[in-house]
Structures are given as C-alpha cells and as structure tokens.
Amino acid sequence: MVDQASVWQGGIIGLVTTPSKNSSERRAHLVQLAGDLFAEKGFRATTVRNIAEAAGILSGSLYHHFDSKESIGDEILSAFLDDVLAGYRSAVASTDDPRKAIEEIVRSSTATLSRHRAALTMLQNDWSYFSAQPRFGYLRTAMKEIEQTWVEQLERGKQTGVFRADLDARLVYRLLRDILWIPTSWRPSKGAGWSTDEIVDGLLRLLFDGITA
Amino acid sequence: MVDQASVWQGGIIGLVTTPSKNSSERRAHLVQLAGDLFAEKGFRATTVRNIAEAAGILSGSLYHHFDSKESIGDEILSAFLDDVLAGYRSAVASTDDPRKAIEEIVRSSTATLSRHRAALTMLQNDWSYFSAQPRFGYLRTAMKEIEQTWVEQLERGKQTGVFRADLDARLVYRLLRDILWIPTSWRPSKGAGWSTDEIVDGLLRLLFDGITA
Amino acid sequence: MVDQASVWQGGIIGLVTTPSKNSSERRAHLVQLAGDLFAEKGFRATTVRNIAEAAGILSGSLYHHFDSKESIGDEILSAFLDDVLAGYRSAVASTDDPRKAIEEIVRSSTATLSRHRAALTMLQNDWSYFSAQPRFGYLRTAMKEIEQTWVEQLERGKQTGVFRADLDARLVYRLLRDILWIPTSWRPSKGAGWSTDEIVDGLLRLLFDGITA
Amino acid sequence: MVDQASVWQGGIIGLVTTPSKNSSERRAHLVQLAGDLFAEKGFRATTVRNIAEAAGILSGSLYHHFDSKESIGDEILSAFLDDVLAGYRSAVASTDDPRKAIEEIVRSSTATLSRHRAALTMLQNDWSYFSAQPRFGYLRTAMKEIEQTWVEQLERGKQTGVFRADLDARLVYRLLRDILWIPTSWRPSKGAGWSTDEIVDGLLRLLFDGITA
DNA sequence: AATGAATGAGTTTTCATTCAT
DNA sequence: CATGAATGAAAACTCATTCAT
C-alpha cells in the first residue's frame, strides 16, 4: 500500500524525488529503528547518533521528528504498556476459571512481548533511569495493575483449589512475571531456533507441571 | 594476625587512629562500594565519580587503586564466575543422581548469587558491552561451561527417567538459568520480606512440581 | 563544478551570505590551525583545547570534524610523507647524475618541508610517540624509502667518482637528512630574515664544498 | 671521596643500615635515571611515575630528593650548559687560529654532548616549555654566549682568509650548531655502530671539505 | 526535512604534588 | 627514606541538544 501511494504521487506530480513515506510513517519507521537499537544495547547505551545512522540521516535531523531521545522512549514504553494491559484485561474478562485466565495471560503476554522486545529490554536494563523520572510515572501505575491482576487470579485459584494452597501469591507473581519475560530478552541468534509456540508451551508445561516426570 | 598486630599497637602505643585497614582491605572496600552501585544502576550507568563519592574521595583518586573502571568490573565479574563454576563443579561431583545434582546446583547458585548481586546485574544489563571486549572473553567461556553442566544433568535425568522425556534440555536450561537469576535482581526493598530460603524453596517447588495442586 | 554552482547561486539568487566555505574547507582550515600549534609546541604538548581556542570554538566541537586528536596528526603526517616521497621519486627519475639527483632531492625537500613545518616538528619531537603506534606504521615504511633513495644516489656517486670514495653512505645520509631538516624547524621569528633560497644555497654550498676557502 | 665519607660514617656510628650511597650519590643516581628517560621520551612525556619506577620506588618518594620534576630538569640542563660553555671558553683560549678554534669547539662539543644526551633532547623537544619559564632564563643567556663564540671565530676566519668570504656567519653558525647536535640525538640502537670518533671525523670532513671529490 | 556546525555539561583518565604514617 | 592514600587541575573524548541555513 505504501508503494501504491508513492507511485500515485510520483505519477501525478512527477517531481518528487524521495517518494513514499509520509510524515507519520517516517516517524513510525524511526521509532522502529530506535527500538531495535534499544533492544540490542539498552536505552542509555544507544546514542542518538546510533539511531540517526541507522536511519541514514544526521543526529540533529532526528529532532525534526522527536523533541528528545526520551520522547522516543516514551512512545515505545507507553505503546507497550497499553498493549500489555489490554491483553490482561481481556484475558481476565474472558473467563471465570483462574487457570484459564492465567493461561490466557501467558499467551497474550507472549504475543504482546514479541511485538515489543525493545520496551522490555528498556524496562529491564534502564528501569532505575526511567522510574526516577516523573514523565515515566505511568510505568509504576501500570506495573501495579499487572501485579494486581496476577495476584487476584492466583488467590482465586488457591480458593477454588486449582492451585496449591501454600503458594505465596505475590512471590509466585514476581517469579512468573519475570519468567514470562525471559524468552523475549533472548537474542534471535541465540534462540537455537525455537519458535514462539515452542517456548510458550515449554513455559506453560513448566509452570503447571514442573520438570518432574 | 593483622588484628593481633593492631590490637597490640593500639594497646601499647595508643596512637593508632585508624583501626588498621591495610591496602588490600581498602581496595576490597572500594570494589564493594562500586559493586553496590553497579547492582543498583548497571555498570555503564554508574560513573567513576559516583563510586568515588560513595567512598568519600575524588574520582581521580580511584586510579590509585585501579587502573580503569573496567578493571573494577573485571574484578567483580571474574570473582563471580569463579564462584559459580566452583559451585557447579562440586554440585556435579557430589552425586550421581541428576535430580540431586540439579537441586544442588540451584542451592549453590542461590548462595553464590546473593554474594554477587552486582556481577549478575552487570551481566544482565551490560552483557553486550562486556562480551564485545576481548578482555572479558572469559565470560563466554564460563557461560559455555555453565550451559554444558545443566544440559548434561538434564539429559542424564531424561535417560534415567527422573525427568520428562520430552524436555528440550537446552530450552529448559535457558529458562531455568534465567529463572534462577531472577530473584537476585530484585531490589532488597521490593522483596516484600522474602528470605533467601523462602525464595529457593518456592523456586524448587515450582521447578519440580509446577503450580498445579 | 562546486564553484560553478555557488557562483550561479550567488549570481541569480543573491542570498548566499557566507562565501562558500564548504565542509572540507572548514576541516582543512582546522587542520591548518592545529598544524601551526603542533609546529610551535609539539604534538603532545598541544592540547585539543588549544586547537579549539585557536579556531574560536569549544574543544568538544572539534570532534564534529575529527574523531580524535591523533587523526588530525595522521592527516598532517601522511600528507607530508606523500609529498616528500613524491619529490624524492621525481628527483631520482629526472636524472642519471647522482650529484644532480641529490641537488634535486635537496631542492624538493626544501620546498616540501616549508609546506609541512608542522609534520617535521611532530616527527622530531614526538617520534617515539607516533612510531610506537600501529596506526602510524607508515612512518617507518616511508623513512625506509627515504633512506634507500639517499644511499643509492650516494653509492652511485662514489662509483662514478663524483663523491669521495671514503664516504660512509649511511652515515652521510643520516647527517644530510637531518641537516636538511634543520632550517625548517627554525622559528620564523628567529631566522633573522633569511629567505628559503638563501638557506638552500648556503646548505648546498656547505654540502658540496664545505666552509673552507 | 664520597666513599670515604660514608665509610667513615659507618665506622664511627655503626648504626647505618644501608651503607654505601650517601644522600648525594643517591640523588645523582636518580638524576641519571631521570635523564635517561628524558633523553628517550622527552621531558614532558616522561612522568614522575616513570622515573620513580625506574628507581624502584614510588612516585611520592621522589619528593624527598627533589622538590619538583622541574628541579630535576634544572639540574640536568644547567650542568650541561656549564659544561658546554667551559668547553667553548677553553677552546677559544687555546689558540688564535679560527680554524683550530672551531675544530676544538667541535671536538669539545662532541665530548660534552655525549655526556649530556638527556639535556640535548630536552632542549630540542621541550625548548618552548623551558624557555617560557623565568626559572630557565639562563638557557637564553647561555645560548647567546654560544652564538657569539661561533660568530666571532667565523668572522675572524673570514678576515684572515681561512674561510670563504661570502659566508653568512650567523646562518653558518645556526647550521653548524644544529648539525653538531644531530648525532647526539640518534638513538644508540640506530647508529649502526658508528663510534663517536667516526662521527666527529665524518662531520669535520663534511664541514671543511664537503662531499665532493 | 535535512544538514552541518556548534554547545555545554558530562565522561574516563592522567599526573605532579602533598602529607600523615 | 619510603609508603600509600589522596588531591586538584587538566587532559581527551562523548553526547543530547540547538539552530541557522
């Protein structure tokens, strides 16, 4: 579709040299490039120059699209959390069975996370940097909702007897949330070829049944 | 012996103001301070000035003790890996039962990790930075040995029927190793008061049996 | 062509305020300024701030144009050696007479050297610094070619009887090369007004005939 | 005589634990070590730590013997110039023949210079550094006397017909003085085995007769 | 939209020097 | 005499950001 547009533009006007990509597309493309670098090296370790080079422009030119490096980070992080929370909410809304809810949370998380590798790396690597800034206050808010969702489902599962009664819900939440985030942070190259499905299934099996035969 | 000497000096001469603290102690103290900061903010995000300030000296003065920031990192990382590998080796040497070996690896890891929080944070946050430098080549070597140890025990467990035959040993290793490392990265303040033992038990229970009742 | 364009722009549009000065001109200007300082104080003794101040900018701004102080040095030194070697090669190619070849080498050297005072000072003052670095390996290579050229001409001159048979070619080369470089290192202010020609003539007369009447 | 003193001290007092090497010997030894390093790398490029390491002590300990790095330089430079001037004065006093006087100056210089390689390197490399400081004002004074001596002899030679009448005395002085200093700056390793005598003879022959057959 | 030049505050590191022990 | 810890000023370099063109 992008091509369609550019062909059309080129056809009529006949003077446009750099056709395609209107403003918001260009912007999205830059966020994408930045995100890839953030995922690879972390937010702080990635320089504005790195991003500009990846885009084939000079670093100063980035400031036509964003007013700061942090606003790129903001865009990535808030999009991620919106997506995560939407998944959690619909997972909880979809069923009354805590085990199914958790299974759904895991599945939705996995899908969401694979779309937001950069955001996760940023949270893991540079949490102390972001969480200290008022601008990123929504990070804490969102994390609280995530925790609440898990704990609620685990507690309900304990009450209905689906989960072991001796589980410490908050402890298990912390472990599970972080466990869930692990595969996302694996570099593509190092994954030895596991598909997302394989990883999710392995993870679910591990969570519910352990490794014992 | 150092204590003996200082007590004696203090007793007889009565002039010793600073209670001993010889050269290597001072150095170790500085490494400790640096490590705390690295654990909190990551290696790159911690400045030499931060470390010096924590020690109550000027940044340049640190170079009396270390020839670079990296050499502090080196000291922390290599001590950590030496410790981890020693634990793994003795765990494997202590038993023939793969399940016991893994249990032992987990227990030794937990003990080791709590002594080396800084190192772990550094590996997680700044792996791309360190692993790119020849100086830190031993990181890759050590990680390979760690992987091999896990995979061997898991495979043997599968053969003897202790573990499920359908486990993907490398996948499970990756998950388990990272899972094991999770609690260490939790900030003390955020742990809501879990003791190391509680965490280890929760973890082992989770690994072997899952969360299902 | 660049000139064409700018003239055209200036002519038609009449808006161009700064009379061209494109990127590479600015860069060349900075190299020139740096070279003057290097010639005056030596490479190591000249700080990046010195250079920046001479250019009326801040020291960090220099890194927009060069990626290190050494790369400025590199530019100056390699340009010098390229020039010297070109002169030597064409001197040798221009004649079969060793005496004429040497005379030509001296004349070309003098011309070259006056254009590269900075480079010469750098080689004399900071040779141990540069020659220790792989990056400046070409310095040794070039010096070898220079030596070979001199020695060859001197030897041929001895065989054809133009030069005294008892000359130690390498010793004379070392003396002559260094002698040749002397006047260049004289500060303009101290030269008491000798023209280049006067110096060259004095030098040649000295070389060929000595000071005796 | 120095030994006499220290033996005597040891004999009478009987408490001196590190016998030999009294204070001034130790000091002279340190100056020697420092000089070697200055000759090799230049004054500024040599660090106080370098010197201390060469002496097997810590950098701070040097300040028991000298109150600053510059005072070491001072010691080396003033000793050199005293020596040079003494040689020049006795050369001039020894004869009425300008040619013999110059020959004697050359011979005395060569002897002096070989004893003061460090000083010469320091003057050549770091002249701008030293000459800018009031403390080293004697450098300019001494250089003036050196120039005067040469010029006088050359002028007298021109009048008596020993030297060519068209010599520019100051120009020739500048050339000859610098020429004379050249071989001293040659690294021992690079000299390809020329003895001091060979070099002096080569030089004198070159000066008086040129290279022409 | 993009360039290219620059800023300014910050980074790691170096080094002569001081001083209590 | 020597050590070991520290200072403080300066070095080279980095980087997010600004802005005229």
Side-chain angles (χ1 to χ4, degrees):
Chain A
M1 352 168 213
V2 171
D3 284 354
Q4 287 260 359
S6 64
V7 163
W8 182 78
Q9 278 196 358
I12 302 285
I13 308 190
L15 277 172
V16 180
T17 48
T18 47
S20 70
K21 307 257 173 186
N22 62 27
S23 176
S24 71
E25 271 180 67
R26 179 84 175 121
R27 192 187 159 91
H29 178 59
L30 292 171
V31 172
Q32 174 65 37
L33 288 175
D36 290 347
L37 289 166
F38 295 158
E40 203 184 319
K41 317 201 287 181
F43 179 78
R44 282 152 118 162
T46 302
T47 71
V48 169
R49 243 216 199 52
N50 290 154
I51 302 169
E53 263 162 28
I57 58 179
L58 290 181
S59 65
S61 307
L62 272 182
Y63 288 79
H64 267 281
H65 305 277
F66 310 96
D67 49 274
S68 73
K69 185 186 173 188
E70 267 161 33
S71 75
I72 307 182
D74 200 348
E75 212 148 302
I76 292 174
L77 288 176
S78 55
F80 168 59
L81 288 173
D82 286 351
D83 226 356
V84 171
L85 291 180
Y88 273 52
R89 285 169 194 150
S90 88
V92 169
S94 71
T95 177
D96 259 358
D97 179 356
R99 175 164 173 152
K100 277 193 182 151
I102 290 228
E103 193 166 330
E104 196 48 36
I105 283 175
V106 171
R107 294 205 179 277
S108 98
S109 287
T110 311
T112 304
L113 289 167
S114 70
R115 264 179 280 122
H116 296 274
R117 265 185 20 113
L120 195 56
T121 312
M122 288 160 71
L123 288 182
Q124 286 172 338
N125 272 25
D126 302 293
W127 171 262
S128 69
Y129 174 75
F130 290 119
S131 66
Q133 296 179 247
R135 166 172 203 168
F136 291 98
Y138 63 84
L139 292 178
R140 290 188 186 281
T141 317
M143 295 311 282
K144 265 181 212 146
E145 183 175 341
I146 290 173
E147 167 167 351
Q148 235 168 354
T149 309
W150 273 96
V151 170
E152 258 174 42
Q153 298 307 314
L154 287 169
E155 289 294 356
R156 288 186 52 233
K158 281 165 66 178
Q159 277 163 13
T160 61
V162 193
F163 299 141
R164 300 197 326 254
D166 62 339
L167 286 182
D168 176 330
R170 284 198 64 233
L171 176 57
V172 169
Y173 148 67
R174 288 300 306 268
L175 282 168
L176 293 188
R177 187 205 64 187
D178 289 355
I179 288 170
L180 214 46
W181 286 7
I182 288 171
T184 309
S185 63
W186 293 352
R187 304 291 166 72
S189 63
K190 296 172 70 183
W194 297 301
S195 73
T196 305
D197 278 347
E198 281 167 332
I199 292 174
V200 179
D201 288 341
L203 207 44
L204 282 174
R205 190 82 202 267
L206 203 61
L207 294 191
F208 289 127
D209 304 323
I211 61 174
T212 318
Chain B
M1 340 167 226
V2 171
D3 284 353
Q4 286 260 357
S6 63
V7 163
W8 180 79
Q9 278 196 357
I12 303 284
I13 308 189
L15 278 171
V16 179
T17 49
T18 49
S20 80
K21 292 258 171 193
N22 62 25
S23 173
S24 67
E25 274 180 66
R26 178 74 175 136
R27 192 186 158 92
H29 177 59
L30 292 172
V31 172
Q32 174 66 38
L33 288 175
D36 290 347
L37 290 166
F38 294 159
E40 203 184 318
K41 316 202 288 180
F43 180 79
R44 281 152 120 160
T46 302
T47 72
V48 168
R49 268 236 260 291
N50 290 154
I51 302 170
E53 265 161 27
I57 57 178
L58 291 180
S59 69
S61 306
L62 273 181
Y63 289 79
H64 182 61
H65 305 277
F66 309 96
D67 47 270
S68 72
K69 184 186 170 188
E70 265 162 35
S71 77
I72 307 181
D74 200 346
E75 212 148 300
I76 291 174
L77 289 176
S78 56
F80 167 59
L81 288 173
D82 286 350
D83 227 356
V84 170
L85 291 180
Y88 273 53
R89 285 170 193 150
S90 88
V92 169
S94 69
T95 178
D96 259 359
D97 179 356
R99 175 166 171 149
K100 277 193 183 151
I102 290 225
E103 194 166 330
E104 196 49 37
I105 284 175
V106 170
R107 293 202 180 279
S108 99
S109 287
T110 311
T112 303
L113 289 168
S114 70
R115 264 180 280 123
H116 295 275
R117 268 186 17 114
L120 196 57
T121 312
M122 288 159 73
L123 289 183
Q124 285 172 338
N125 272 25
D126 302 293
W127 170 264
S128 68
Y129 174 74
F130 290 119
S131 66
Q133 295 179 249
R135 165 173 202 167
F136 291 98
Y138 62 84
L139 292 178
R140 291 187 186 283
T141 317
M143 295 311 282
K144 265 182 213 148
E145 183 175 341
I146 289 173
E147 168 167 353
Q148 236 169 351
T149 309
W150 274 96
V151 168
E152 257 174 45
Q153 298 308 313
L154 288 170
E155 290 291 357
R156 288 188 50 235
K158 283 164 66 177
Q159 277 163 12
T160 60
V162 193
F163 299 141
R164 301 196 326 252
D166 62 338
L167 287 182
D168 176 329
R170 285 197 66 231
L171 176 57
V172 169
Y173 147 70
R174 289 299 306 266
L175 280 168
L176 293 188
R177 189 204 63 186
D178 289 356
I179 288 170
L180 213 45
W181 286 7
I182 287 171
T184 309
S185 63
W186 294 353
R187 305 292 165 71
S189 62
K190 296 171 71 184
W194 296 300
S195 74
T196 306
D197 278 348
E198 281 168 333
I199 292 174
V200 180
D201 288 341
L203 208 44
L204 282 174
R205 194 76 205 268
L206 204 61
L207 293 191
F208 289 126
D209 304 324
I211 60 173
T212 317
Chain C
M1 344 168 219
V2 171
D3 284 353
Q4 286 263 358
S6 63
V7 162
W8 182 78
Q9 277 197 357
I12 303 284
I13 310 192
L15 278 171
V16 179
T17 49
T18 49
S20 81
K21 289 260 169 194
N22 60 26
S23 175
S24 66
E25 273 180 66
R26 177 73 176 136
R27 192 187 159 92
H29 177 59
L30 292 171
V31 172
Q32 174 65 38
L33 288 176
D36 291 346
L37 290 166
F38 295 158
E40 202 184 319
K41 317 203 288 182
F43 180 78
R44 280 152 122 163
T46 302
T47 71
V48 168
R49 267 236 261 289
N50 291 155
I51 303 169
E53 265 161 27
I57 57 177
L58 291 181
S59 69
S61 306
L62 272 181
Y63 289 81
H64 182 62
H65 305 276
F66 309 96
D67 48 271
S68 72
K69 185 186 169 187
E70 266 161 35
S71 77
I72 306 182
D74 200 346
E75 214 148 299
I76 291 173
L77 289 176
S78 55
F80 167 58
L81 289 173
D82 286 350
D83 227 355
V84 171
L85 292 180
Y88 273 53
R89 285 170 194 149
S90 88
V92 169
S94 70
T95 178
D96 259 358
D97 179 356
R99 177 170 168 146
K100 276 193 185 152
I102 291 225
E103 194 167 330
E104 195 49 36
I105 284 175
V106 171
R107 295 204 179 277
S108 99
S109 288
T110 311
T112 304
L113 289 166
S114 70
R115 262 179 282 122
H116 296 274
R117 269 185 17 113
L120 195 56
T121 312
M122 288 160 71
L123 289 183
Q124 285 172 338
N125 271 27
D126 302 294
W127 171 263
S128 68
Y129 174 75
F130 290 119
S131 67
Q133 296 178 249
R135 166 173 202 167
F136 292 98
Y138 62 85
L139 292 179
R140 291 187 186 283
T141 317
M143 294 311 282
K144 264 181 215 148
E145 182 175 343
I146 289 173
E147 168 167 352
Q148 236 169 351
T149 309
W150 273 96
V151 169
E152 257 174 44
Q153 298 308 314
L154 288 169
E155 290 292 358
R156 288 186 51 233
K158 281 164 65 177
Q159 278 164 13
T160 61
V162 193
F163 299 141
R164 303 198 322 257
D166 63 337
L167 286 181
D168 176 330
R170 284 197 65 233
L171 175 58
V172 168
Y173 146 69
R174 287 300 305 267
L175 282 167
L176 293 187
R177 188 205 64 186
D178 290 356
I179 288 170
L180 213 46
W181 287 6
I182 288 172
T184 309
S185 63
W186 295 351
R187 305 293 165 72
S189 62
K190 295 169 72 184
W194 295 301
S195 73
T196 306
D197 277 348
E198 282 168 333
I199 293 174
V200 179
D201 289 339
L203 209 44
L204 282 174
R205 190 83 201 267
L206 204 60
L207 294 191
F208 289 125
D209 304 323
I211 61 174
T212 317
Chain D
M1 353 165 212
V2 172
D3 283 353
Q4 287 261 356
S6 63
V7 164
W8 180 79
Q9 275 197 359
I12 303 286
I13 308 190
L15 277 173
V16 180
T17 47
T18 47
S20 69
K21 306 255 171 188
N22 63 26
S23 176
S24 71
E25 269 181 68
R26 179 84 175 119
R27 193 187 158 89
H29 177 59
L30 292 172
V31 172
Q32 173 65 38
L33 289 175
D36 291 347
L37 290 166
F38 295 157
E40 202 184 318
K41 316 201 287 181
F43 179 78
R44 282 153 119 161
T46 302
T47 71
V48 169
R49 244 216 199 51
N50 291 154
I51 303 169
E53 263 162 29
I57 58 179
L58 290 180
S59 66
S61 306
L62 272 181
Y63 288 79
H64 268 280
H65 305 277
F66 309 95
D67 49 272
S68 74
K69 185 187 172 186
E70 267 161 34
S71 77
I72 307 181
D74 200 348
E75 214 148 300
I76 291 174
L77 289 176
S78 55
F80 167 61
L81 288 173
D82 287 350
D83 227 355
V84 171
L85 291 181
Y88 272 52
R89 286 169 194 151
S90 89
V92 169
S94 70
T95 177
D96 259 359
D97 179 355
R99 175 165 173 152
K100 275 193 184 151
I102 290 225
E103 193 166 331
E104 195 49 34
I105 284 175
V106 171
R107 295 207 179 275
S108 99
S109 286
T110 313
T112 304
L113 289 167
S114 70
R115 265 179 280 121
H116 296 275
R117 269 187 14 115
L120 195 55
T121 312
M122 288 160 71
L123 289 182
Q124 285 172 337
N125 272 26
D126 302 294
W127 170 263
S128 69
Y129 175 76
F130 290 120
S131 67
Q133 296 179 249
R135 166 172 204 168
F136 292 98
Y138 62 85
L139 293 177
R140 289 188 186 283
T141 317
M143 295 310 283
K144 266 181 212 148
E145 184 176 341
I146 289 173
E147 168 168 350
Q148 237 168 353
T149 309
W150 273 97
V151 169
E152 258 173 44
Q153 298 307 314
L154 288 170
E155 290 292 358
R156 287 186 52 232
K158 281 163 66 178
Q159 279 163 13
T160 61
V162 194
F163 299 141
R164 302 197 321 255
D166 62 339
L167 286 182
D168 175 329
R170 286 197 64 232
L171 176 57
V172 169
Y173 148 68
R174 287 300 305 266
L175 280 168
L176 292 188
R177 188 205 63 187
D178 289 355
I179 288 170
L180 214 44
W181 286 7
I182 288 171
T184 310
S185 63
W186 294 353
R187 303 291 166 73
S189 63
K190 294 171 72 183
W194 296 301
S195 74
T196 305
D197 277 348
E198 282 168 331
I199 293 174
V200 180
D201 287 341
L203 208 44
L204 282 174
R205 189 84 202 266
L206 204 60
L207 294 190
F208 289 127
D209 305 324
I211 59 174
T212 317

